[in-house]
Every structure is written in structure tokens, then in C-alpha cells.
Amino acid sequence: MKPSDMRNLSGADFAREIESRKKELMELRFQAAMGNLAQPHRVTQLRREVAQLNTIRREQALANLKGEQA
């Protein structure tokens, strides 16, 4: 998912997307521990996507706070 697409998500969608990516990341970590990980690059992609989602959610929260204070 591109960051531009992430910016169009609502608050509930952010939580759902983050949880689904964390769940997939956990499953990939188990596969890596077992030694049968088919796509090792997917771990990096998921970690990056979770970080991007958290960053965009935080940016939006700060923008809302700033808008309320003004």
C-alpha cells in the first residue's frame, strides 16, 4: 500500500491495517524460525508498512490537535 493510499484511511481502518500486518509479520517470523521462509524480503516490507502507518496516523493526530487549538 502506498503512503498516499494510507493517508485516505480512517482511524478504524488504520488499526485494522496495522493489526493485519503485525499478524502477518508474526507468522513470517515463525516461518523464519522454522527455516522455511519463502519470501524473506516480505518481513522488511511489512515492518516498513507498519512504521509508515504509525507515522501517518501520528501526523494526522497532531494535525487534529493543532486544528483544535487554533
Side-chain angles (χ1 to χ4, degrees), residues 1-69:
M1 179 180 280
K2 294 181 180 180
S4 59
D5 296 334
M6 292 177 189
R7 293 186 194 283
N8 296 328
L9 296 175
S10 67
D13 291 335
F14 268 110
R16 190 176 322 113
E17 290 291 328
I18 290 172
E19 287 304 314
S20 69
R21 280 167 175 71
K22 283 186 176 182
K23 183 178 178 182
E24 186 179 349
L25 185 59
M26 183 180 64
E27 291 171 1
L28 288 176
R29 285 182 180 152
F30 284 130
Q31 288 178 8
M34 300 291 286
N36 57 353
L37 185 59
Q39 299 175 333
H41 70 279
R42 186 71 178 131
V43 174
T44 306
Q45 284 178 338
L46 286 171
R47 289 181 67 222
R48 182 175 292 130
E49 287 178 8
V50 169
Q52 287 173 339
L53 284 165
N54 283 327
T55 300
I56 293 170
R57 184 170 58 172
R58 178 72 175 149
E59 286 174 355
Q60 290 177 349
L62 289 175
N64 288 340
L65 285 175
K66 199 170 202 178
E68 290 175 2
Q69 290 178 357

